[in-house]
Amino acid sequence: MNDDLLKLAVALKDIKFTMFTTVGEDGNLYSRPMATLEMDERNFDGRLWFFTDIDSPKVQNLNNDPHVNLAYARPEDQK
């Protein structure tokens, strides 16, 4: 694993939730909280996994435009 991926894995490992943002068919951004599955920082390859219902609007959004934004935050230590 390269140093950048290791830094990202270490930064994210203790943050359980993210705001998962997709682009709707109308071009608007839609955000919702999602829980990131457990991650092994030693074998992290940059992929993050989430579970959702196959019929959810976010899946429809991803089928139309695969771009996403993930916003992680841990305010107690300003990360």
Side-chain angles (χ1 to χ4, degrees):
M1 174 185 340
N2 71 39
D3 289 343
D4 290 335
L5 283 176
L6 180 59
K7 287 178 189 175
L8 179 61
V10 168
L12 297 181
K13 74 177 185 150
D14 294 324
I15 305 174
K16 182 70 176 167
F17 295 97
T18 184
M19 289 304 289
F20 185 96
T21 303
T22 57
V23 180
E25 286 185 47
D26 57 4
N28 289 322
L29 300 176
Y30 294 91
S31 298
R32 73 281 288 163
M34 297 282 291
T36 307
L37 297 178
E38 190 171 326
M39 177 177 45
D40 178 359
E41 67 188 75
R42 294 165 300 167
N43 297 311
F44 183 62
D45 64 1
R47 288 184 266 185
L48 298 167
W49 293 87
F50 304 90
F51 281 120
T52 191
D53 188 311
I54 193 70
D55 295 321
S56 73
K58 71 182 90 46
V59 173
Q60 293 172 344
N61 290 350
L62 290 170
N63 286 331
N64 292 323
D65 186 333
H67 295 97
V68 300
N69 182 72
L70 299 172
Y72 286 85
R74 191 169 57 218
E76 59 271 12
D77 59 1
Q78 298 181 2
K79 284 193 171 195

